[in-house]
Amino acid sequence: MATFNYSNSFVFADLTAGALNVNVVGNGKPSGFLVAGTFAGATVKLQQLIGATYVDLGPETTLTANGGGLFVTPVGTLRIAISGGTAGFSVTVVIKPIEL
């Protein structure tokens, strides 16, 4: 499992049937979720594990183009969920706490 101050690049070869899920351990602090690159039809979103189900954190962390959003969740398991990627997909995902 990855931890906060997370940064990783993903390409089409990393995907299985156009999808990939990567678990990240949340720290409970206000944080930023940023994604940039070539989406090639993909959706990249951040999800929170609640019980046995992952739920989307919201529209600010559901991206189909370069962008990002802020979020706050309790300490726990988050997931970067990539779906719909086609040839040419190549993005970098960054999750970092906001230090005030």
Side-chain angles (χ1 to χ4, degrees):
M1 243 183 236
T3 58
F4 265 65
N5 283 326
Y6 175 84
S7 178
N8 201 358
S9 296
F10 301 99
V11 296
F12 182 67
D14 297 326
L15 308 181
T16 301
L20 176 70
N21 293 316
V22 178
N23 288 342
V24 179
V25 177
N27 66 2
K29 296 181 179 180
S31 300
F33 175 71
L34 308 165
V35 184
T38 303
F39 281 70
T43 298
V44 180
K45 56 186 164 181
L46 191 61
Q47 299 177 319
Q48 171 80 49
L49 181 63
I50 300 175
T53 304
Y54 281 95
V55 297
D56 296 350
L57 288 183
E60 298 83 14
T61 58
T62 299
L63 304 171
T64 56
N66 294 334
L70 300 176
F71 67 95
V72 178
T73 64
V75 173
T77 301
L78 303 174
R79 175 169 77 180
I80 301 163
I82 301 169
S83 61
T86 60
F89 172 82
S90 176
V91 300
T92 298
V93 176
V94 175
I95 303 173
K96 292 198 178 255
I98 303 299
E99 301 294 336
L100 302 176

